[in-house]
Amino acid sequence: MNDQTSAGTASGQTRTGDKPARRPLSGAGIFFLRQREASILIAGILLVIYFQISSSAFLSGPNLGNLVQYSATTAIIAAGEVFVLVCGELDLSVGMVYALTPFVMFFAVSAGLPVWLAVILGLLAAAVVGLINGAVTTLLKVPSFVTTLGMLFLINGFTLTISGGFPVQPQAGAVFTGIFGANALALMAWAVVIALLFQFVLKKTRWGLHTVATGGNPHGAAEVGIKTKTIKTGNFVLCSVLGGLAGILDAFRIGSIDPLSGGTEIMFAAIASAVIGGTLLAGGVGTILGALLGALVLGILKDGFTLLGVSAYTFDMILGGAILVTMVINVRLTLLKERGGL
Amino acid sequence: MAEQSREVLRAEHISKSFGQVTALKDISMHLNRGEVLGLLGDNGAGKSTLMKIFTGFHQPTSGKLFLNGREVTLKSVAHGRQMGVECVYQDLALVNEINVYRNMFLQREPTRGGFLGILNDRAMRKAASEHLGRIGVNIPSVDAEVSKLSGGQRQAIAVARSVYQKSDLLLLDEPTAAMGAKESAQILDVIQRLREQGDMAIIIIAHNYAQVFDVCDRVNLVEGGKIVFDKPTAETSVQELTDLVVNEYRMARASVHEA
Ligand SMILES: Nc1ncnc2c1ncn2[C@@H]1O[C@H](COP(=O)(O)OP(=O)(O)O)[C@@H](O)[C@H]1O
Ligand SMILES: [Mg+2]
C-alpha cells in the first residue's frame, strides 16, 4: 500500500496539502527583507528631497563627494560587522583597527618596503586582531561584547603609543593613491563592489549559509557538524580586515594618518548602518546591501544637517534618537522572530 | 549489501562524565542491520548523551565503540557521519532562518567553484523535493523558511534529512515528541518502511513507548545512566513496560517522601 502511494509521488514534486499550495513562504521572508531594504531606500530618497529643497547645495558635486566619503568607509566596515552580527557576535574594536592599520602601513613604508606590501602587512595586522577576538571569544568563551571592548582599549592605547599621538602623512605614488580612494568615485566603487561581493558571499555561498546557521541556531549548527568556532573566528577576521581596509582608504583620501580618527564613532556608525539596514542583533538575519543603504542614510542625515547649519551637538542628539528608535524596532522584530512569527 | 557486516553497532562498557555529573555508567549494547531498538527512560536518564556518543558529538570517558565490526574512536560528528552514523537530535538542529531545502543539505551542500563554495541551489531544491515526495512528507514548499512550518513538519524534515543519507546507523531522539497522533503516525510509517528495507540499524528514543512499540524489534530501558532492562518486543508487552515505569515512578516518589 505504502509503496504504491510513494511510487505515485516518487517522480513528482513534493505533495501539496488539501488546500491549494501557498506560495513559497520563504518568499515572505525575503520580501520582508527586500521591503526593509526598499523602505530604507525610500527614506533615503525622501531625505535627499527634503535637504535639496532646504538647501540647493545638497545635490551639488562637492557635497555629494562629502556624502560619499562619509558613507563609503562606514559601509565597508558595516559589511564586516553584518557578518559578525549574523553569526551571533559583536565587534566593538573595529573602529580602533581602522586607526591602527594605516600606521602599520606607514611604519612598513618607512622601513623601506614597497607600498603594496605595506598595505598587505597592515591588513595582516588587522587580521591578527580579528583572530585574537575570535579565539578569546570562542575558545575562552568570553562574550564578544567584553572581548572586543577590551580589544578596543588595547588597540587604541597601542596606536597612540606607536604614533606618539601625532598624525603622519601616507607616502605613495599618484596611481596608488588614486586607486585607494583619493577621490569620491574610487571610494564609492570600493564600497559598492565590497557590498555586492559580500552580499553574494552571505546569500549564495557555504560560508554565508554557515554564518546564518551559526547565528540562527548555534547548538543545532554544531550538531550537524558546522565548525561554529571557525565560522565566528573567520568573521571576526573578516570584520577586522575590512575595518583596516577602510582605515587605509581614508588615510589616502585625507592624506593624513591620524591616531585619533575612526574609533568608537565610526564603529557605532557601522553597527547603526547594519541595524538600520535590517540586520538583527540576535543573529541569523542580515543583509549587506541593507547596511550599505543604512550607511548612505546616515551620511545623508549628517551631511544634510551640516548644510542646514545644525550644530554637531544637535546632530548627535538627532542621530542618537534615530538609532534608539531603530533599535527598539529591531528588538521588537527579534522578539517576533523568537516567537516564530517572522 | 552482501559484504556489509550484520552487526552495525557494538558498545562495550561505555561511561561518560561531565565534570562531577556521571551521565552514563558501563553501557553495553549491540544492534544488527535491519533491527530497530527502542530506548526508553526517564528525563535525564542519559539517553541523549548515549546517542551523542554514537554520533561522535561527545567522546566517552571510557569504553569501546565498534561500527560495522571495527573499533572506532569518533573524533567529531563529521567523522561519525563518514562511518555511517546519522542522527535526528531532540532539538532537531534545523535553522529557522533558512529554507527547507538548504536545511536538508546543511553542512553537506552541493557546491560549485571549488574553494569558493558557491551553493548549488538548483540541485538542492530538486533533490530535496524529490526525496520528500518519495518518503511522503507533506510541506507547502521546499522554499519555505523552516520557521514557517509546524512542529510536526519540522520533525519530518529533520527525519527526512537523516534518511536521505544512506547511513548504516540511524539515531532518532524523540522523533514524535512535538507531534500530534496523525503526524506521529506518518513518521512511524517512514521508520517502518526503513525497517522493512533492512539496510540500516535504527535506534529510537521515545517517551511514548506505546507509540513506538510496534516498530521496534527490541526495547531497552535506561535508568540513572545504566541499561536496566533489555528484551525483544516479542517477549515483552506495553503492559510490562508500563509496570516498569510505574514502579520506577513509585520508587522516585518514595525517595522524595523520605527526604
Ligand atoms: N553537556 C553536558 N554537560 C553537563 N551535563 C550534561 C550534559 N549533557 C547531559 N548532561 C547531564 O547528563 C544527564 C543525562 O542527560 P541526557 O542524556 O540529556 O538525558 P535524557 O536524554 O535521557 O533525558 C543529565 O543529568 C544531564 O544534566
Ligand atoms: Mg534527551
Side-chain angles (χ1 to χ4, degrees):
Chain A
M1 288 293 261
N2 275 330
D3 281 343
Q4 276 197 341
T5 47
S6 58
T9 52
S11 55
Q13 296 291 300
T14 310
R15 279 192 286 177
T16 43
D18 331 305
K19 285 174 263 173
R22 281 179 288 167
R23 264 317 298 155
L25 285 161
S26 79
I30 291 166
F31 178 63
F32 169 78
L33 280 180
R34 291 247 170 82
Q35 223 188 4
R36 182 76 188 250
E37 282 153 8
S39 57
I40 303 155
L41 193 63
I42 290 165
I45 292 168
L46 289 178
L47 283 171
V48 168
I49 293 170
Y50 171 73
F51 286 127
Q52 177 63 20
I53 291 169
S54 313
S55 156
S56 58
F58 189 79
L59 284 176
S60 68
N63 189 55
L64 286 180
N66 272 341
L67 198 164
V68 163
Q69 282 163 6
Y70 174 83
S71 302
T73 39
T74 306
I76 291 169
I77 299 174
E81 199 70 67
V82 168
F83 272 85
V84 174
L85 291 172
V86 169
C87 77
E89 302 292 343
L90 180 70
D91 186 354
L92 299 176
S93 66
V94 65
M96 294 305 172
V97 174
Y98 165 99
L100 168 70
T101 308
F103 271 103
V104 174
M105 176 187 77
F106 173 79
F107 286 120
V109 170
S110 303
L113 294 177
V115 189
W116 63 268
L117 190 58
V119 168
I120 291 174
L121 274 180
L123 295 180
L124 269 178
V128 169
V129 175
L131 199 62
I132 297 172
N133 279 339
V136 172
T137 301
T138 61
L139 299 180
L140 304 180
K141 299 186 172 31
V142 177
S144 55
F145 181 88
V146 178
T147 308
T148 59
L149 186 63
M151 193 55 93
L152 182 161
F153 284 103
L154 202 156
I155 300 290
N156 188 26
F158 183 72
T159 307
L160 288 171
T161 306
I162 62 170
S163 66
F166 291 102
V168 292
Q169 264 74 50
Q171 303 128 353
V175 177
F176 204 86
T177 310
I179 294 171
F180 273 83
N183 68 60
L185 267 183
L187 206 56
M188 200 62 213
W190 275 97
V192 170
V193 168
I194 285 175
L196 289 174
L197 176 69
F198 284 101
Q199 178 78 358
F200 182 83
V201 172
L202 185 60
K203 301 295 173 187
K204 294 289 172 194
T205 71
R206 217 161 176 251
W207 183 269
L209 184 64
H210 290 186
T211 297
V212 173
T214 299
N217 182 355
H219 198 71
E223 279 176 342
V224 299
I226 291 174
K227 296 195 167 59
T228 55
K229 289 176 182 169
T230 309
I231 297 285
K232 286 185 174 183
T233 306
N235 285 328
F236 276 114
V237 170
L238 174 68
C239 185
S240 260
V241 169
L242 286 177
L245 177 65
I248 288 176
L249 292 172
D250 266 353
F252 282 117
R253 172 176 70 81
I254 301 165
S256 158
I257 303 175
D258 186 347
L260 299 175
S261 70
T264 51
E265 194 183 332
I266 202 161
M267 175 269 291
F268 278 127
I271 294 178
S273 303
V275 171
I276 291 171
T279 297
L280 297 190
L281 292 172
V285 176
T287 134
I288 311 286
L289 291 180
L292 174 67
L293 292 173
L296 277 171
V297 166
L298 279 188
I300 291 167
L301 277 172
K302 192 176 173 85
D303 200 66
F305 283 130
T306 311
L307 276 185
L308 294 185
V310 174
S311 86
Y313 302 150
T314 316
F315 172 72
D316 274 354
M317 278 164 48
I318 293 170
L319 187 62
I323 290 173
L324 271 179
V325 169
T326 325
M327 292 287 184
V328 168
I329 295 170
N330 196 294
V331 168
R332 305 303 305 170
L333 288 175
T334 307
L335 287 177
L336 257 177
K337 188 191 97 172
E338 275 161 11
R339 294 194 203 113
L342 195 74
Chain B
M1 293 286 152
E3 63 270 17
Q4 284 179 328
S5 79
R6 215 173 99 72
E7 187 181 79
V8 173
L9 170 76
R10 171 176 290 276
E12 288 182 356
H13 311 294
I14 299 261
S15 298
K16 176 68 181 176
S17 310
F18 298 102
Q20 302 283 21
V21 181
T22 307
L24 298 174
K25 297 169 205 154
D26 195 26
I27 296 255
S28 295
M29 64 161 59
H30 67 94
L31 200 62
N32 289 338
R33 204 169 291 280
E35 264 189 324
V36 179
L37 171 71
L39 202 57
L40 317 179
D42 198 7
N43 260 334
K47 308 180 296 292
S48 295
T49 305
L50 186 59
M51 291 294 114
K52 287 179 180 176
I53 283 177
F54 295 158
T55 59
F57 188 82
H58 289 319
Q59 280 68 47
T61 311
S62 64
K64 286 181 184 174
L65 188 62
F66 298 81
L67 289 173
N68 290 314
R70 248 178 296 156
E71 184 174 357
V72 289
T73 308
L74 298 180
K75 293 188 278 283
S76 64
V77 175
H79 186 204
R81 279 178 166 176
Q82 247 172 37
M83 304 301 296
V85 183
E86 275 301 321
C87 182
V88 180
Y89 292 97
Q90 195 166 11
D91 46 20
L92 297 189
L94 295 177
V95 181
N96 279 337
E97 291 80 0
I98 296 175
N99 68 27
V100 168
Y101 71 79
R102 281 184 169 188
N103 260 295
M104 287 254 326
F105 286 91
L106 198 56
Q107 173 53 20
R108 38 196 157 195
E109 308 85 356
T111 55
R112 292 169 291 164
F115 77 97
L116 293 177
I118 298 168
L119 298 167
N120 190 343
D121 283 290
R122 180 192 288 235
M124 284 191 272
R125 186 184 285 117
K126 183 164 180 283
S129 173
E130 281 173 7
H131 174 64
L132 291 176
R134 199 156 44 233
I135 63 173
V137 171
N138 202 342
I139 51 160
S141 155
V142 291
D143 288 298
E145 217 176 82
V146 163
S147 62
K148 303 292 189 296
L149 302 180
S150 72
Q153 287 171 326
R154 284 181 220 202
Q155 189 79 52
I157 300 296
V159 171
R161 170 164 77 180
S162 299
V163 171
Y164 185 73
Q165 310 304 321
K166 302 268 175 283
S167 56
D168 295 309
L169 177 61
L170 176 62
L171 310 170
L172 302 160
D173 197 346
E174 305 262 5
T176 57
M179 299 187 172
K182 200 172 151 196
E183 285 175 317
S184 315
Q186 205 182 37
I187 295 295
L188 291 170
D189 210 43
V190 172
I191 295 168
Q192 178 62 26
R193 237 176 287 166
L194 293 171
R195 181 189 183 196
E196 283 161 11
Q197 284 163 12
D199 296 333
M200 49 174 79
I202 301 175
I203 302 181
I204 309 175
I205 295 184
H207 245 87
N208 193 340
Y209 49 87
Q211 217 177 37
V212 301
F213 192 81
D214 288 339
V215 299
C216 291
D217 297 292
R218 235 167 62 222
V219 181
N220 282 4
L221 180 68
V222 186
E223 216 180 275
K226 282 188 189 154
I227 294 177
V228 296
F229 175 91
D230 176 11
K231 268 190 190 176
T233 36
E235 293 168 26
T236 180
S237 61
V238 172
Q239 188 54 51
E240 185 181 11
L241 294 173
T242 307
D243 291 344
L244 269 170
V245 172
V246 168
N247 201 29
E248 190 186 355
Y249 175 68
R250 289 218 178 101
M251 304 227 309
R253 267 187 62 182
S255 68
V256 167
H257 280 268
E258 271 166 37

